Structures are given as structure tokens and as C-alpha cells.
Amino acid sequence: MPILEHPAYPPATLLCLESLVPCRESQVSMLLSIFGERQQLSFPSIFIYGHTSSGKTYVMKTLLNTLQLPHVFVNCVECFTSRLLLEEILIQLQNHSSETRRASPVPCDTFNDFVRLFKQALVSQNLQDQTVYVVLDRAEQLREMEANILPAFLRLQELTDRNVTVILLSEIVWEMFRPNTGCFEPFILYFPDYSIGHLQKILSQNHPPEYSADFYSAYINILLGVFYMVCRDLKELQHLAALNFSKYCEPVVRKEAKERDTRKLWKNIEPHLKKAMQTVYLREISSSQWERLQCEEGELGQIKGLSAHAHVELPYYSKFLLIAAYLASYNPVRTDKRFFLKHHGKIKKTNFMKKHEKTSNHLLGPKPFPLDRLLAILYSIVDNRVAPTANIFSQHLYKDLLTLISQ
């Protein structure tokens, strides 16, 4: 039974769309409800957010192209200034019905010029009677532009008096966007991360035709069992699946095992997956080099040419929180003024330390400390000014800091 239903679109088109966006049917259904029919007035602005590789860009492109809705799709990283961004939107809109791409005939210096040229482009393309969608991918870059750009895009429907919907795609939450002066609030839609079941379903769809679907699904199950805890990026997992599948098939090709001999296949692929664990996200060698190395006989060990990345890379503020916790747990409170203030005044060297403080603090072990002291040390060791935002307070490191230090 089809999940996507809408009276404005043929069932065959919706069935095709459903097959192209697996595990995102609820989000697509919500978007179809918001879009309505082509001539209906849509919501002025929609904010879609979620982590990397949660399907935001792919779903929007697939939805708009499959339903053949008039749209403009711009990456804000490529158009890094307001002028480039506005002109790119106008260029795509002017070339909506033509196959050849032309340059913008009129430069667009201000948003007032953009509104005027945007209305002219809608009339010239005969789009004034249907909804036009302006999609801004990587929309967090808008915060680096002029202060009026983001609020103006959110009210573009009102400023142009046309049926236009602006869709912002971002990896950060709306609270990080909202200007201090206030703005029009968009409709907010969240794309959650793919679960392991979703990844299994999506990756299993790409099975080679010469092998059965069950055989490839068993391979994906093994792959996710190894990599899911360290990598949940769909694109990276697709790359790893394509890279290591030939090694998984070797016993079957050599007639040493059948497709159902999962144990033999696992023993053959296990050492190669362990090697691949060292290169997740790194791309230190090309796929062809990796395949060549896989074919070479020899003892298992480090891949030649690869550096050993055994350390764990923490987020920026998490690193300094861990350092601040270490300093707070091993240094006495009375030394904070001496260590973390530039103008701490004169301190008498005589009788500064008590007898029990002459013992190394590392031998005594870490001491408990209040949260206020941790944050005070954090603010003093970070070069830039740190705003006490929810991003700092919501990090789940506090609970584990003393455990890490004690180890």
C-alpha cells in the first residue's frame, strides 16, 4: 500500500517518489502537505535541519525534480557573498525554461534590486500563477552575510507579493539563526539520523545484479556491525560498501564457499574491514590504491603510507572543557588567581604551600570541583571570547570528565 498520497499528483509519480526516498516517507509526506497544489499559496519559509548525511539535500532535490515543481537550488558555500547569492538565484530563475545557461544581464547589488528583478523574472518565465521554491543549501552561511539577508529571505513572499517559498537547509538548529532583533518564524522540520535499520535498507538497495539480494544484505549487515559505532555517514558507508564488496565475494568466486556460508565469508573479510577502520573519512589513498593493497599477499599490519590515527578527535569546546577539568581537579583553588589572571598582584613565596600540599597532587588523585570554577578556568584558557550559551552547558562531558581524568 503506498504511503505517499496527494490529490494534486498522479499515484504513479508518488509511487516513484516513494521508491527514491526510502526511510524518509514521513518527512516527504509532511512537505507535500505544506506545499499543497501548484496554484495554492504555500508557507512563506521552511527551515529543515539535521545532521550531515540525513538526506536533507537529496530529498529536496528528488522531491522538486520528480514532481517537476519550479525551483531554484543554491549552495550558500559556493555563493559566499550576498551579491553572488542573489545573482545566482536570478540566473537560475531566468534559465528555468531554457537548456542553456546565461549570465545575469543586470547586476544585483541590493536586496531591493533583487526583489524587483525577481518579480520581472517570474513574469518572463510565466511563473506568477504557481509556487516557486527557492532552496538555500548550507544556509548557516547566511549568518556571515549582511544582517538584512536572512530576515529578507524569510519574508520574500511578502516583499515580492508573489507565491514563493524559501526553504533553508542547515545542520544547526533554528535557535542559532534567530537574529537578536527578531524575524519572521519559519516552519521548522527536523530530519533525524538514519537508524541502523534504515541504513541496512538503503544500502541493500544497491546490490549488484549478479548476486542475490539476500547475499548483499548479509554483507551490509556485517559492514554495519563493524562500522556503525564509528561512522553513521551514509555517503561514507556507501563508499566502504563498494570498496570492500569484491573482497567479500572472493571465496564465492573461487568456489571455496557458497553465498550462504556466512562464517567463511566473515573470516575472509574481517581482517580487511579492520584495515579499513583506519581510513574512515581520511581518504589518504585512492580507491584503486586500496584495492591494490588488498590484493597483495603478506602479513596483516599497518597499511604502508597510512598514518596511525589512534587518537580521538573531540569537538573544539570539549577539548578545552577537558583541559579545564583537569586543571581544576589537580590544582588547589588558591592557585587559580596566580595561574589564570594576568595581573594577580604579588604573592608571597614563603609559607605559600602548606605541608600536605608539598606532596604531588598527581599522587593524591583528582579532587572534586564546582561547575562555576570549571567554567571560569575555561573562559581564561580559550583565546576567543566564549559566550555562556546552551551549546556549552548542554555538552555531556561533565559527567565523564572526572572518570576520564582518573583513568
Side-chain angles (χ1 to χ4, degrees):
M1 182 177 178
I3 300 175
L4 301 179
E5 296 180 353
H6 199 282
Y9 306 103
T13 304
L14 294 176
L15 195 61
C16 176
L17 176 63
E18 186 176 326
S19 65
L20 294 173
V21 287
C23 308
R24 282 291 178 254
E25 294 85 359
S26 60
Q27 286 77 19
V28 173
S29 180
M30 175 66 72
L31 288 171
L32 287 174
S33 302
I34 298 171
F35 288 176
E37 299 183 8
R38 290 175 179 268
Q39 294 78 15
Q40 291 178 340
L41 193 67
S42 183
F43 206 85
S45 53
I46 303 172
F47 181 81
I48 300 176
Y49 73 102
H51 290 147
T52 305
S53 293
S54 57
K56 304 180 296 297
T57 303
Y58 172 75
V59 167
M60 284 309 307
K61 284 185 175 180
T62 305
L63 174 62
L64 295 171
N65 291 327
T66 305
L67 301 181
Q68 296 181 353
L69 299 174
H71 66 278
V72 172
F73 209 102
V74 181
N75 190 314
C76 295
V77 174
E78 298 173 359
C79 303
F80 51 89
T81 65
S82 59
R83 177 169 179 169
L84 289 174
L85 177 63
L86 300 178
E87 289 185 356
E88 179 63 22
I89 294 173
L90 293 173
I91 290 172
Q92 291 191 27
L93 191 60
Q94 292 165 356
N95 300 333
H96 172 69
S97 58
S98 61
E99 295 181 358
T100 58
R101 181 182 174 88
R102 299 174 297 172
S104 178
V106 181
C108 183
D109 296 320
T110 65
F111 208 90
N112 288 335
D113 295 337
F114 171 75
V115 170
R116 176 175 53 84
L117 296 171
F118 187 87
K119 293 165 70 174
Q120 293 176 3
L122 290 180
V123 174
S124 64
Q125 297 296 324
N126 197 22
L127 296 173
Q128 62 267 35
D129 295 330
Q130 53 184 315
T131 307
V132 176
Y133 299 92
V134 177
V135 184
L136 303 179
D137 196 10
R138 302 295 298 273
E140 56 267 15
Q141 301 298 322
L142 294 177
R143 302 179 303 164
E144 307 298 328
M145 299 182 186
E146 290 84 346
N148 67 318
I149 294 295
L150 177 60
F153 270 120
L154 296 174
R155 304 176 70 98
L156 186 60
Q157 186 179 104
E158 177 185 344
L159 295 173
T160 59
D161 195 24
R162 297 291 186 271
N163 191 2
V164 56
T165 296
V166 176
I167 302 175
L168 307 177
L169 306 181
S170 177
E171 297 179 4
I172 62 178
V173 297
W174 169 246
E175 286 71 22
M176 301 290 290
F177 273 81
R178 186 183 290 114
N180 296 331
T181 55
C183 65
F184 181 84
E185 294 290 324
F187 180 87
I188 299 176
L189 181 61
Y190 174 59
F191 273 50
D193 291 340
Y194 288 113
S195 65
I196 189 169
H198 292 161
L199 293 172
Q200 172 83 30
K201 180 179 179 181
I202 295 170
L203 293 172
S204 298
Q205 290 183 340
N206 301 325
H207 72 88
E210 59 269 20
Y211 295 98
S212 65
D214 292 339
F215 176 69
Y216 193 74
S217 180
Y219 164 66
I220 294 299
N221 188 36
I222 291 175
L223 187 82
L224 290 176
V226 174
F227 289 100
Y228 183 72
M229 294 303 294
V230 297
C231 174
R232 302 185 184 184
D233 189 316
L234 179 59
K235 294 178 182 178
E236 185 70 18
L237 289 172
Q238 287 174 334
H239 171 73
L240 292 169
L243 202 61
N244 295 283
F245 183 63
S246 60
K247 206 67 184 178
Y248 182 74
C249 300
E250 277 186 358
V252 178
V253 173
R254 294 196 300 258
K255 307 293 185 181
E256 297 176 358
K258 297 181 180 179
E259 289 189 358
R260 295 185 179 275
D261 294 338
T262 310
R263 185 176 181 83
K264 289 183 180 179
L265 296 173
W266 162 248
K267 283 187 175 181
N268 180 68
I269 193 67
E270 181 185 12
H272 303 283
L273 293 182
K274 286 183 177 179
K275 285 183 181 180
M277 284 277 286
Q278 303 171 10
T279 62
V280 174
Y281 294 117
L282 297 182
R283 300 287 196 277
E284 292 183 327
I285 56 175
S286 65
S287 300
S288 58
Q289 289 174 317
W290 170 260
E291 291 173 357
R292 252 194 332 268
L293 287 169
Q294 293 293 327
C295 296
E296 293 177 358
E297 296 292 335
E299 296 181 359
L300 297 178
Q302 293 284 343
I303 300 174
K304 187 177 180 181
L306 295 182
S307 56
H309 294 266
H311 65 279
V312 177
E313 188 68 21
L314 293 175
Y316 180 76
Y317 285 123
S318 299
K319 296 177 186 177
F320 287 100
L321 277 171
L322 189 60
I323 295 171
Y326 177 84
L327 296 173
S329 61
Y330 280 105
N331 291 327
V333 179
R334 64 169 65 196
T335 62
D336 289 351
K337 186 177 179 181
R338 177 189 177 191
F339 291 153
F340 305 115
L341 287 181
K342 292 183 179 179
H343 307 289
H344 51 74
K346 295 182 179 180
I347 298 178
K348 295 181 179 179
K349 294 183 179 180
T350 57
N351 299 327
F352 178 73
M353 300 179 66
K354 297 179 181 179
K355 290 183 179 180
H356 69 275
E357 289 178 342
K358 292 182 180 179
T359 307
S360 174
N361 288 323
H362 290 275
L363 297 177
L364 299 175
K367 305 291 191 304
F369 53 85
L371 178 62
D372 292 342
R373 185 178 175 223
L374 171 68
L375 294 177
I377 296 176
L378 171 69
Y379 297 152
S380 66
I381 63 176
V382 177
D383 291 336
N384 301 324
R385 183 178 178 273
V386 182
T389 60
N391 184 34
I392 300 295
F393 290 102
S394 64
Q395 297 198 45
H396 300 289
L397 279 170
Y398 295 137
K399 187 169 56 176
D400 304 325
L401 285 173
L402 285 177
T403 305
L404 289 171
I405 294 169
S406 62
Q407 294 175 355

